[in-house]
Amino acid sequence: DTEEYKELHPELEAKDYDYTQKATSWVVDAAILEVEDYLMDTYAINRQEALDKLNTGGYQIYVTIDKKMQEYVEEKYLSLSNLINTRKSARYKDSNEDGVIDDRDEVVYPQSAFIAMNYQGEILACVGAVGEKTGSIVWNYATQETRQPGSTIKPVAGYGYGIYTDNFHWGSKLKDSGLEMPDGSSWPKNYSTDSVSTNWSYNDICVYYGLMRSLNTISARLVDALTTDSVFKFSTENMGLELTDLDPKGHTDNSIAPLTVGALTYGVTMKNMVNSYIPYGNGGRYYKAHIVSRLEQGNHELVYENDGHPHEAVDPETAYVMNRMMKNVVSQRGTAGDAMLKNKEVVGKTGTTENWDDLWFIGLTEDFVSGVWIGYREREKLDTSISSAKLWYNVIGEYADKLDTEAKYPECDTVVEAPICSNTGLIAGTYCPKGDTGYWKSTNAPVCTSCRYYSSRQGRNYNDANTENEYVTVSSHPFTLPETESEN
């Protein structure tokens, strides 16, 4: 009974704590589940046995959480009205089972969750549902719920692998039309009823523009050209996505639809989806997301430390090119303009499932990567006025923008930054009409030379002193791509 003995044996007091009876925080819940997973794997026991062992084993758990950020986000999630305009989001459930849906029935609102982690995979904040948390070990929509991710899969599937392997570059052109299916139909379609290519004389779309406007057709053509086997391997082994390979029922995510538009068999957790974007913010290294940095037992005896088990997912050039490509997504012309900040540079990707059941946004700043999800517990169509990028901004935008740090995205000096030739999609040469600024890996940086012939046919006269590093606009009207609606 001495104080010295109690200090050396904290498990004596731990026996009196029952996690199933007392309300715990989202942080404690996530930490408990992570330690349970470790104990289950280490000792080949089930989850209840792991919880019993945790309760009586005298463990000390060290977490990676940023208390200030956690408190800020928890405050936001106390009310759905802090996140979206709730006026159009009420759904009525026939709770009295009278066959009539009216004001006497239960009102159901969407659920939402948020998670943030640094570029070493350490979870900084996590909130698993809307409203005050009154129980313990409750369902966490950020770390446990699996949902189809929609277009958020594109940067860590076809686009990422295409740039990584040099099969495609920033301005590679692909047909803005669906793939021909065995039954003769065309799949997929963009959300817009008007094809972008009808307004573009070349009937092709540059890769960077396809991601900026989230065109499903371009994503499909990338995955089809690269093969699903290769893209699946890249997404799972390099980027850490927990996809279904081939389950006992014959389901697999190694197929065109899952890897093109995120139509996964069972979906992924938001934690896993956000985790997969880490290499695009730190120069190419993947760290597995974790909330427990260190586990001790008894008198501070080390059980394990977690550093995220890093590996190189992509090379630094690919990481930087993809980072810049997702910067265009968070722009006035992209699908995530609502996520723009004044002081921080946001890059990321929106995601919307086919029936508008789930909305996602994965956003990176120089300081951390984070994601939001919103959807009804029982899958129903969300109000189409909801913007996932605006939701992210409402949750963490102001907080992220006020962080006074000197953090920067790792730049790569070997990446070629230059105007894009509006005719060919290559690096603009002397005689090319200049379009947007593009980014090319040093291993795949083709310069346009064909516009010299085009210019001479148009009767253009150029000073012989022009060099390949000087650019001339051959049209008095800068070439721009048309705006179009698309899948998010």
Side-chain angles (χ1 to χ4, degrees), residues 68 128 168 182 204 244 268 273 276 304-305 347-348 374 452 456:
K68 185 177 179 180
F168 295 92
D204 289 335
T244 300
V268 292
M273 198 73 237
S276 70
Y304 81 88
E305 286 183 301
V347 304
I374 188 169
R452 178 188 300 271
S456 64

Side-chain angles (χ1 to χ4, degrees), residues 1 6 9-24 51-59 136:
D1 293 328
K6 290 179 179 179
H9 297 83
E11 68 274 13
L12 296 177
E13 293 185 8
K15 289 181 180 180
D16 298 327
Y17 195 92
D18 186 350
Y19 291 105
T20 64
Q21 300 298 321
K22 299 181 180 180
T24 52
L51 179 59
D52 293 340
K53 188 174 182 65
L54 177 60
N55 278 332
T56 61
Y59 291 98
S136 64

Side-chain angles (χ1 to χ4, degrees), residues 158 161-162 165 167-168 172-175 179 207 217-231 256 260:
Y161 186 63
T165 57
N167 281 288
F168 295 92
S172 294
K173 289 189 173 183
L174 294 168
K175 294 289 184 184
L179 303 174
V207 164
T217 51
I218 306 304
S219 179
R221 290 192 173 274
L222 283 168
V223 174
D224 183 59
L226 295 164
T227 76
T228 58
D229 284 343
S230 297
V231 175
I256 189 74
T260 294

Side-chain angles (χ1 to χ4, degrees), residues 321-342:
V321 170
M322 286 303 302
N323 182 284
R324 297 297 83 192
M325 199 175 288
M326 290 192 293
K327 177 66 178 71
N328 279 346
V329 175
V330 188
S331 68
Q332 294 299 335
R333 297 169 63 199
T335 61
D338 288 337
M340 294 175 65
L341 302 178
K342 293 181 180 179

Side-chain angles (χ1 to χ4, degrees), residues 27 30-31 33-35 37 61-66 115-126 143 271-272 275 278 286-295 304-310:
V27 174
L33 291 172
E34 193 170 300
V35 173
D37 288 339
I61 304 172
Y62 296 82
V63 296
T64 60
I65 216 73
D66 181 321
I115 194 167
M117 55 193 75
N118 64 22
Y119 292 110
Q120 290 74 50
E122 297 178 337
I123 294 176
L124 304 176
C126 176
T143 63
K271 171 185 173 183
N272 185 221
N275 195 179
I278 280 181
Y286 174 86
Y287 292 79
K288 188 173 179 63
H290 56 284
I291 199 169
V292 177
S293 61
R294 182 180 176 92
L295 181 67
Y304 81 88
E305 286 183 301
N306 195 344
D307 63 354
H309 310 290

Side-chain angles (χ1 to χ4, degrees), residues 135-148:
S136 64
I137 317 298
V138 300
W139 192 253
N140 189 315
Y141 285 93
T143 63
Q144 295 175 287
E145 182 83 1
T146 56
R147 296 271 178 148
Q148 292 189 358

